[in-house]
Coordinates of all heavy atoms in Angstrom, one line a residue:
M1 N 7.1 7.7 -14.0 CA 7.6 6.5 -13.4 C 6.5 5.7 -12.7 O 5.6 6.4 -12.1 CB 8.7 6.8 -12.5 CG 9.3 5.6 -11.9 SD 10.9 5.9 -11.0 CE 12.0 6.2 -12.4
S2 N 6.4 4.4 -12.8 CA 5.4 3.6 -12.2 C 5.6 3.5 -10.7 O 6.7 3.6 -10.2 CB 5.4 2.2 -12.8 OG 5.2 2.3 -14.2
K3 N 4.5 3.3 -10.0 CA 4.5 3.1 -8.5 C 3.7 1.8 -8.2 O 2.7 1.6 -8.7 CB 4.0 4.3 -7.8 CG 4.7 5.5 -7.9 CD 6.0 5.5 -7.2 CE 6.8 6.8 -7.4 NZ 8.1 6.8 -6.9
Y4 N 4.3 1.1 -7.2 CA 3.6 -0.1 -6.7 C 3.7 -0.1 -5.2 O 4.6 0.5 -4.6 CB 4.3 -1.4 -7.2 CG 4.3 -1.5 -8.7 CD1 5.2 -0.8 -9.5 CD2 3.3 -2.2 -9.4 CE1 5.2 -0.9 -10.9 CE2 3.3 -2.3 -10.8 CZ 4.2 -1.6 -11.5 OH 4.1 -1.7 -12.9
T5 N 2.8 -0.8 -4.5 CA 2.8 -0.8 -3.1 C 2.3 -2.1 -2.5 O 1.6 -2.8 -3.2 CB 1.9 0.4 -2.5 OG1 2.1 0.5 -1.1 CG2 0.5 0.3 -2.9
W6 N 2.7 -2.4 -1.3 CA 2.2 -3.5 -0.5 C 2.4 -3.2 0.9 O 3.1 -2.3 1.3 CB 2.7 -4.8 -0.9 CG 4.2 -5.1 -0.5 CD1 5.3 -4.6 -1.1 CD2 4.6 -6.0 0.5 NE1 6.4 -5.0 -0.4 CE2 6.0 -5.9 0.6 CE3 4.0 -6.8 1.5 CZ2 6.8 -6.6 1.5 CZ3 4.7 -7.5 2.4 CH2 6.1 -7.4 2.4
I7 N 1.7 -3.9 1.8 CA 1.8 -3.8 3.2 C 2.6 -5.0 3.8 O 2.2 -6.1 3.6 CB 0.4 -3.7 3.9 CG1 -0.4 -2.5 3.4 CG2 0.5 -3.7 5.4 CD1 0.1 -1.2 3.7
E8 N 3.6 -4.7 4.6 CA 4.4 -5.7 5.3 C 3.6 -6.0 6.5 O 3.6 -5.3 7.5 CB 5.8 -5.2 5.6 CG 6.6 -6.3 6.1 CD 8.1 -5.9 6.4 OE1 8.5 -4.9 5.8 OE2 8.7 -6.6 7.1
K9 N 2.8 -7.1 6.4 CA 1.8 -7.4 7.5 C 2.5 -7.6 8.9 O 1.9 -7.3 9.9 CB 1.0 -8.6 7.1 CG 0.1 -8.5 5.9 CD -1.2 -8.1 6.3 CE -2.2 -8.1 5.1 NZ -3.5 -8.1 5.5
D10 N 3.7 -8.1 8.9 CA 4.4 -8.3 10.2 C 4.7 -7.0 10.9 O 4.8 -7.0 12.1 CB 5.7 -9.1 10.0 CG 5.5 -10.5 9.5 OD1 4.4 -11.0 9.7 OD2 6.4 -11.1 9.0
R11 N 4.7 -5.9 10.2 CA 4.9 -4.6 10.8 C 3.7 -3.8 11.1 O 3.7 -2.9 11.9 CB 5.8 -3.7 9.9 CG 7.2 -4.2 9.8 CD 7.9 -3.2 8.8 NE 9.4 -3.5 8.8 CZ 10.2 -2.8 9.6 NH1 9.8 -1.8 10.3 NH2 11.5 -3.1 9.5
C12 N 2.6 -4.2 10.5 CA 1.3 -3.5 10.6 C 0.7 -3.6 12.0 O 0.7 -4.7 12.6 CB 0.3 -4.0 9.6 SG -1.3 -3.1 9.6
I13 N 0.3 -2.5 12.6 CA -0.3 -2.5 13.9 C -1.8 -2.1 13.8 O -2.5 -1.8 14.8 CB 0.4 -1.5 14.9 CG1 0.4 -0.1 14.3 CG2 1.8 -2.0 15.2 CD1 0.9 1.0 15.3
A14 N -2.4 -2.1 12.6 CA -3.8 -1.9 12.3 C -4.2 -0.5 12.9 O -5.3 -0.4 13.4 CB -4.6 -3.0 12.9
C15 N -3.4 0.5 12.7 CA -3.8 1.9 13.1 C -4.8 2.5 12.2 O -5.5 3.5 12.6 CB -2.5 2.7 13.3 SG -1.8 3.2 11.8
G16 N -4.8 2.1 10.9 CA -5.8 2.6 10.0 C -5.3 3.9 9.3 O -6.1 4.4 8.4
G17 N -4.1 4.3 9.5 CA -3.6 5.5 8.9 C -3.5 5.5 7.4 O -3.9 6.4 6.7
C18 N -3.1 4.3 6.9 CA -2.9 4.2 5.4 C -4.2 4.2 4.7 O -4.4 4.9 3.7 CB -2.1 3.0 5.1 SG -2.8 1.4 5.5
Y19 N -5.2 3.5 5.2 CA -6.5 3.6 4.5 C -7.3 4.8 4.8 O -8.2 5.1 4.0 CB -7.3 2.3 4.6 CG -7.4 1.6 5.9 CD1 -8.5 1.9 6.8 CD2 -6.5 0.6 6.3 CE1 -8.6 1.2 8.0 CE2 -6.7 -0.1 7.5 CZ -7.7 0.3 8.4 OH -7.8 -0.4 9.6
A20 N -6.9 5.6 5.8 CA -7.5 6.9 6.0 C -6.9 7.9 5.0 O -7.6 8.7 4.4 CB -7.3 7.4 7.4
A21 N -5.6 7.8 4.7 CA -4.9 8.6 3.8 C -5.2 8.3 2.4 O -5.2 9.2 1.5 CB -3.4 8.6 4.1
A22 N -5.3 7.0 2.1 CA -5.5 6.5 0.7 C -6.5 5.4 0.6 O -6.2 4.3 0.3 CB -4.1 6.0 0.2
P23 N -7.8 5.8 0.8 CA -8.8 4.8 0.8 C -9.1 4.1 -0.5 O -9.7 3.0 -0.6 CB -10.1 5.5 1.2 CG -9.8 7.0 0.8 CD -8.3 7.1 1.0
D24 N -8.6 4.6 -1.6 CA -8.7 4.0 -2.9 C -7.6 2.9 -3.1 O -7.7 2.1 -4.1 CB -8.7 5.0 -4.1 CG -9.9 5.9 -4.1 OD1 -11.0 5.4 -3.7 OD2 -9.7 7.1 -4.4
I25 N -6.6 3.0 -2.3 CA -5.5 2.0 -2.4 C -5.5 1.0 -1.3 O -5.2 -0.2 -1.6 CB -4.1 2.8 -2.4 CG1 -4.1 3.8 -3.5 CG2 -2.9 1.8 -2.5 CD1 -2.9 4.8 -3.4
Y26 N -5.7 1.4 -0.1 CA -5.6 0.5 1.0 C -7.0 0.2 1.7 O -7.8 1.1 1.7 CB -4.7 1.0 2.1 CG -3.3 1.4 1.5 CD1 -3.0 2.7 1.2 CD2 -2.4 0.4 1.3 CE1 -1.7 3.0 0.7 CE2 -1.1 0.6 0.8 CZ -0.8 2.0 0.5 OH 0.4 2.2 0.0
G27 N -7.1 -0.9 2.3 CA -8.3 -1.3 3.1 C -7.7 -2.1 4.2 O -6.6 -2.1 4.6
H28 N -8.6 -3.0 4.8 CA -8.1 -3.8 5.9 C -8.7 -5.2 5.7 O -9.8 -5.4 5.1 CB -8.5 -3.3 7.3 CG -10.0 -3.1 7.4 ND1 -10.8 -4.1 7.8 CD2 -10.8 -2.0 7.3 CE1 -12.1 -3.6 7.9 NE2 -12.1 -2.4 7.6
D29 N -8.0 -6.2 6.3 CA -8.5 -7.6 6.2 C -9.4 -7.9 7.3 O -9.8 -7.0 8.1 CB -7.3 -8.5 6.1 CG -6.4 -8.5 7.4 OD1 -6.9 -8.0 8.5 OD2 -5.3 -9.0 7.3
D30 N -9.8 -9.1 7.5 CA -10.8 -9.5 8.5 C -10.3 -9.3 9.9 O -11.1 -9.2 10.8 CB -11.2 -11.0 8.3 CG -12.0 -11.2 7.0 OD1 -12.6 -10.2 6.5 OD2 -12.1 -12.3 6.6
D31 N -9.0 -9.2 10.1 CA -8.4 -9.0 11.4 C -8.1 -7.5 11.6 O -7.5 -7.2 12.7 CB -7.1 -9.8 11.5 CG -7.4 -11.3 11.5 OD1 -8.4 -11.8 12.1 OD2 -6.6 -12.0 10.8
G32 N -8.4 -6.7 10.7 CA -8.2 -5.2 10.9 C -6.8 -4.7 10.4 O -6.5 -3.5 10.5
Y33 N -6.0 -5.6 9.9 CA -4.7 -5.2 9.4 C -4.8 -4.7 8.0 O -5.6 -5.2 7.2 CB -3.7 -6.4 9.4 CG -3.4 -6.8 10.8 CD1 -4.0 -7.9 11.4 CD2 -2.5 -6.0 11.6 CE1 -3.7 -8.2 12.7 CE2 -2.2 -6.4 12.9 CZ -2.8 -7.5 13.5 OH -2.6 -7.8 14.8
A34 N -3.9 -3.7 7.6 CA -4.0 -3.1 6.3 C -3.6 -4.0 5.2 O -2.8 -5.0 5.4 CB -3.1 -1.9 6.3
E35 N -4.1 -3.8 4.0 CA -3.7 -4.5 2.8 C -4.0 -3.6 1.6 O -4.9 -2.7 1.7 CB -4.4 -5.8 2.7 CG -5.9 -5.7 2.6 CD -6.6 -7.1 2.6 OE1 -5.9 -8.1 2.7 OE2 -7.8 -7.2 2.5
V36 N -3.4 -3.9 0.5 CA -3.6 -3.2 -0.7 C -4.9 -3.8 -1.3 O -5.0 -5.0 -1.6 CB -2.4 -3.3 -1.7 CG1 -2.7 -2.6 -3.0 CG2 -1.2 -2.7 -1.0
I37 N -5.8 -2.9 -1.6 CA -7.1 -3.4 -2.2 C -7.2 -2.8 -3.7 O -8.1 -3.3 -4.4 CB -8.3 -2.9 -1.4 CG1 -8.3 -1.4 -1.3 CG2 -8.3 -3.6 -0.1 CD1 -9.6 -0.9 -0.8
F38 N -6.3 -1.9 -4.1 CA -6.5 -1.3 -5.4 C -6.5 -2.3 -6.5 O -5.6 -3.2 -6.6 CB -5.3 -0.3 -5.6 CG -5.4 0.4 -7.0 CD1 -6.3 1.4 -7.2 CD2 -4.7 -0.1 -8.0 CE1 -6.5 2.0 -8.4 CE2 -4.8 0.5 -9.3 CZ -5.7 1.5 -9.5
N39 N -7.6 -2.2 -7.3 CA -7.7 -3.0 -8.5 C -7.5 -4.5 -8.3 O -6.9 -5.2 -9.1 CB -6.7 -2.5 -9.6 CG -7.2 -2.5 -11.0 OD1 -8.4 -2.6 -11.1 ND2 -6.4 -2.3 -11.9
G40 N -7.9 -5.0 -7.1 CA -7.9 -6.4 -6.8 C -6.5 -6.9 -6.6 O -6.2 -8.1 -6.6
D41 N -5.6 -6.1 -6.2 CA -4.2 -6.5 -5.9 C -4.0 -7.5 -4.8 O -3.1 -8.3 -4.9 CB -3.3 -5.2 -5.6 CG -1.9 -5.5 -5.4 OD1 -1.2 -5.5 -6.5 OD2 -1.4 -5.8 -4.3
A42 N -4.9 -7.5 -3.8 CA -4.8 -8.5 -2.7 C -3.5 -8.5 -2.0 O -3.0 -9.5 -1.6 CB -5.2 -9.9 -3.2
N43 N -2.9 -7.3 -1.9 CA -1.7 -7.1 -1.1 C -0.5 -7.8 -1.8 O 0.5 -8.2 -1.1 CB -1.8 -7.4 0.3 CG -0.8 -6.7 1.2 OD1 -0.6 -5.5 1.0 ND2 -0.1 -7.4 2.0
R44 N -0.5 -8.0 -3.1 CA 0.6 -8.6 -3.8 C 1.7 -7.7 -4.3 O 2.8 -8.0 -4.6 CB 0.1 -9.5 -4.9 CG -0.7 -10.7 -4.5 CD -1.3 -11.4 -5.6 NE -2.2 -10.6 -6.3 CZ -2.4 -10.5 -7.6 NH1 -1.8 -11.3 -8.4 NH2 -3.3 -9.7 -8.1
G45 N 1.3 -6.4 -4.4 CA 2.2 -5.4 -4.9 C 2.5 -5.4 -6.3 O 3.6 -5.1 -6.8
V46 N 1.6 -5.9 -7.1 CA 1.8 -6.1 -8.6 C 1.0 -5.2 -9.4 O 1.2 -5.1 -10.7 CB 1.6 -7.5 -9.0 CG1 2.6 -8.4 -8.3 CG2 0.2 -8.0 -8.7
M47 N 0.0 -4.5 -8.9 CA -0.9 -3.6 -9.7 C -0.3 -2.2 -9.6 O 0.0 -1.6 -8.6 CB -2.3 -3.5 -9.1 CG -3.0 -4.9 -9.1 SD -3.1 -5.7 -10.7 CE -4.2 -4.6 -11.6
E48 N -0.1 -1.6 -10.8 CA 0.5 -0.2 -10.9 C -0.6 0.8 -10.4 O -1.7 0.7 -10.7 CB 0.8 0.1 -12.4 CG 1.4 1.4 -12.5 CD 1.8 1.7 -14.0 OE1 1.8 0.8 -14.8 OE2 2.1 2.9 -14.3
I49 N -0.1 1.6 -9.5 CA -0.9 2.7 -8.9 C -0.9 3.9 -9.9 O 0.2 4.3 -10.3 CB -0.3 3.2 -7.5 CG1 -0.2 2.0 -6.6 CG2 -1.2 4.3 -7.0 CD1 -1.5 1.2 -6.3
P50 N -2.1 4.4 -10.3 CA -2.1 5.5 -11.2 C -1.6 6.8 -10.6 O -1.7 7.0 -9.4 CB -3.6 5.6 -11.6 CG -4.3 4.9 -10.5 CD -3.4 3.9 -9.9
S51 N -1.1 7.6 -11.5 CA -0.5 8.9 -11.0 C -1.4 9.8 -10.2 O -1.0 10.5 -9.3 CB 0.2 9.6 -12.2 OG -0.8 10.0 -13.1
Y52 N -2.7 9.7 -10.5 CA -3.7 10.6 -9.8 C -3.8 10.2 -8.3 O -4.3 11.0 -7.5 CB -5.0 10.7 -10.5 CG -5.9 9.4 -10.4 CD1 -6.7 9.2 -9.3 CD2 -5.8 8.5 -11.4 CE1 -7.5 8.0 -9.2 CE2 -6.6 7.3 -11.3 CZ -7.4 7.1 -10.2 OH -8.2 6.0 -10.2
L53 N -3.3 9.0 -8.0 CA -3.3 8.6 -6.5 C -1.9 8.8 -5.9 O -1.8 8.4 -4.7 CB -3.8 7.2 -6.5 CG -5.2 6.9 -6.8 CD1 -5.5 5.4 -6.8 CD2 -6.2 7.6 -5.9
Y54 N -0.9 9.3 -6.5 CA 0.4 9.4 -6.0 C 0.4 10.2 -4.7 O 1.2 9.9 -3.8 CB 1.4 10.0 -7.0 CG 1.9 9.0 -8.0 CD1 1.4 7.7 -8.1 CD2 2.8 9.4 -9.0 CE1 1.8 6.8 -9.1 CE2 3.2 8.5 -9.9 CZ 2.7 7.2 -10.0 OH 3.2 6.4 -11.0
D55 N -0.3 11.3 -4.6 CA -0.3 12.1 -3.4 C -0.8 11.3 -2.2 O -0.3 11.4 -1.1 CB -1.1 13.4 -3.5 CG -0.4 14.5 -4.4 OD1 0.8 14.3 -4.6 OD2 -1.1 15.4 -4.9
D56 N -1.9 10.6 -2.4 CA -2.5 9.8 -1.3 C -1.5 8.7 -1.0 O -1.3 8.3 0.2 CB -3.8 9.1 -1.8 CG -4.9 10.1 -1.9 OD1 -4.8 11.3 -1.5 OD2 -6.0 9.7 -2.4
L57 N -0.9 8.1 -2.0 CA 0.1 7.0 -1.7 C 1.3 7.6 -0.9 O 1.7 6.9 0.1 CB 0.7 6.5 -3.1 CG 1.7 5.4 -3.0 CD1 1.2 4.1 -2.5 CD2 2.3 5.2 -4.4
Q58 N 1.8 8.7 -1.2 CA 2.9 9.4 -0.4 C 2.4 9.7 1.0 O 3.2 9.4 1.9 CB 3.3 10.6 -1.1 CG 4.6 11.2 -0.5 CD 5.8 10.4 -0.8 OE1 5.9 9.6 -1.8 NE2 6.8 10.4 0.1
D59 N 1.2 10.2 1.2 CA 0.7 10.4 2.5 C 0.7 9.2 3.4 O 1.0 9.2 4.5 CB -0.7 11.1 2.5 CG -0.6 12.5 1.9 OD1 0.5 13.1 1.9 OD2 -1.7 13.0 1.6
A60 N 0.2 8.1 2.8 CA 0.1 6.8 3.5 C 1.5 6.3 3.9 O 1.7 5.9 5.0 CB -0.7 5.8 2.7
Y61 N 2.4 6.4 2.9 CA 3.8 5.9 3.1 C 4.4 6.7 4.3 O 5.0 6.2 5.2 CB 4.6 6.1 1.8 CG 6.0 5.8 2.0 CD1 6.5 4.5 2.1 CD2 7.0 6.8 1.9 CE1 7.8 4.2 2.2 CE2 8.3 6.5 2.1 CZ 8.7 5.2 2.2 OH 10.1 5.0 2.3
E62 N 4.3 8.0 4.2 CA 5.0 8.9 5.2 C 4.3 8.8 6.5 O 5.0 9.1 7.6 CB 5.0 10.4 4.7 CG 6.0 10.6 3.5 CD 5.9 12.0 3.0 OE1 5.1 12.8 3.4 OE2 6.7 12.2 2.0
G63 N 3.0 8.5 6.6 CA 2.3 8.5 7.8 C 2.3 7.2 8.6 O 1.8 7.1 9.7
C64 N 2.9 6.1 8.0 CA 2.9 4.8 8.6 C 3.9 4.8 9.8 O 5.1 5.0 9.6 CB 3.2 3.7 7.6 SG 3.1 2.1 8.4
P65 N 3.4 4.6 11.0 CA 4.3 4.7 12.2 C 5.2 3.5 12.3 O 6.2 3.6 13.0 CB 3.3 4.7 13.4 CG 2.1 4.1 12.9 CD 2.0 4.4 11.4
T66 N 5.0 2.4 11.6 CA 5.8 1.2 11.7 C 6.5 0.9 10.4 O 7.2 -0.1 10.3 CB 4.9 0.0 12.1 OG1 4.0 -0.2 11.1 CG2 4.3 0.2 13.4
L67 N 6.4 1.8 9.4 CA 7.1 1.6 8.1 C 6.6 0.3 7.4 O 7.3 -0.3 6.7 CB 8.6 1.5 8.3 CG 9.2 2.7 9.0 CD1 10.7 2.5 9.1 CD2 8.9 4.0 8.2
A68 N 5.3 -0.1 7.7 CA 4.7 -1.2 7.0 C 4.3 -1.0 5.6 O 4.3 -1.9 4.8 CB 3.5 -1.7 7.8
V69 N 4.1 0.3 5.2 CA 3.7 0.6 3.8 C 5.0 0.7 3.0 O 5.9 1.4 3.3 CB 3.0 2.0 3.8 CG1 2.7 2.4 2.3 CG2 1.7 2.0 4.6
K70 N 5.0 -0.2 2.0 CA 6.2 -0.3 1.1 C 5.8 0.3 -0.3 O 4.7 0.0 -0.8 CB 6.6 -1.7 0.9 CG 6.9 -2.4 2.2 CD 8.0 -1.7 3.0 CE 8.4 -2.5 4.3 NZ 9.3 -1.8 5.1
V71 N 6.6 1.1 -0.9 CA 6.4 1.7 -2.2 C 7.7 1.5 -3.0 O 8.8 1.7 -2.5 CB 6.1 3.2 -2.1 CG1 5.9 3.8 -3.4 CG2 4.8 3.4 -1.2
A72 N 7.5 1.1 -4.3 CA 8.6 0.9 -5.2 C 8.2 1.3 -6.6 O 7.1 1.5 -6.9 CB 9.1 -0.5 -5.1
D73 N 9.3 1.5 -7.4 CA 9.1 1.8 -8.8 C 8.9 0.6 -9.7 O 8.8 0.7 -10.9 CB 10.2 2.6 -9.4 CG 10.4 4.0 -8.7 OD1 9.4 4.5 -8.2 OD2 11.5 4.5 -8.6
H74 N 8.8 -0.6 -9.1 CA 8.7 -1.8 -9.8 C 7.8 -2.7 -9.0 O 7.6 -2.6 -7.8 CB 10.0 -2.5 -10.0 CG 10.8 -2.6 -8.7 ND1 10.6 -3.6 -7.8 CD2 11.8 -1.8 -8.2 CE1 11.4 -3.5 -6.8 NE2 12.1 -2.4 -7.0
P75 N 7.1 -3.7 -9.6 CA 6.3 -4.7 -8.9 C 7.1 -5.4 -7.9 O 8.3 -5.7 -8.1 CB 5.8 -5.6 -10.0 CG 5.9 -4.9 -11.3 CD 7.1 -4.0 -11.1
F76 N 6.4 -5.7 -6.8 CA 7.1 -6.5 -5.7 C 7.0 -8.0 -6.1 O 6.0 -8.4 -6.8 CB 6.4 -6.3 -4.4 CG 6.7 -4.9 -3.8 CD1 5.9 -3.9 -4.1 CD2 7.8 -4.7 -3.0 CE1 6.1 -2.6 -3.6 CE2 8.1 -3.4 -2.5 CZ 7.2 -2.4 -2.8
N77 N 7.9 -8.8 -5.6 CA 7.9 -10.2 -5.9 C 7.6 -11.0 -4.6 O 8.5 -11.6 -4.0 CB 9.3 -10.6 -6.4 CG 9.3 -11.2 -7.8 OD1 8.2 -11.5 -8.3 ND2 10.4 -11.4 -8.4
I78 N 6.4 -10.9 -4.1 CA 6.0 -11.5 -2.9 C 5.0 -12.6 -3.1 O 4.4 -12.7 -4.1 CB 5.5 -10.5 -1.8 CG1 4.5 -9.6 -2.4 CG2 6.7 -9.7 -1.3 CD1 3.9 -8.6 -1.5

């Protein structure tokens, strides 16, 4: 099953947990808030995350204190 992710910026507190857990998927913008960087996604939630990164994706999702990390089985429409 496919996995997609994005960061809900309004919830992000720039703690860095997601990009510490999954540095190949997440990074931060100029203000320090998290965003999806994988494969040029630019936090749109449209790039499929490969299965070899699923453990990191799950760690980031479960570790987000504000629930800003969103994960779904389909691309997001944002």
Side-chain angles (χ1 to χ4, degrees):
M1 184 166 288
S2 301
K3 296 288 181 191
Y4 299 84
T5 186
W6 74 285
I7 300 292
E8 187 175 343
K9 296 267 190 165
D10 292 343
R11 290 181 170 263
C12 182
I13 59 171
C15 72
C18 61
Y19 43 91
D24 292 328
I25 301 172
Y26 305 102
H28 59 83
D29 63 18
D30 292 339
D31 295 321
Y33 294 100
E35 64 183 1
V36 178
I37 60 167
F38 179 76
N39 219 14
D41 185 85
N43 204 48
R44 294 175 296 142
V46 296
M47 299 302 294
E48 184 177 347
I49 305 301
S51 61
Y52 71 88
L53 292 174
Y54 283 3
D55 287 342
D56 291 349
L57 179 66
Q58 189 68 27
D59 289 346
Y61 174 75
E62 290 175 356
C64 182
T66 62
L67 307 175
V69 175
K70 305 300 183 187
V71 176
D73 298 333
H74 52 80
F76 290 91
N77 242 348
I78 49 176

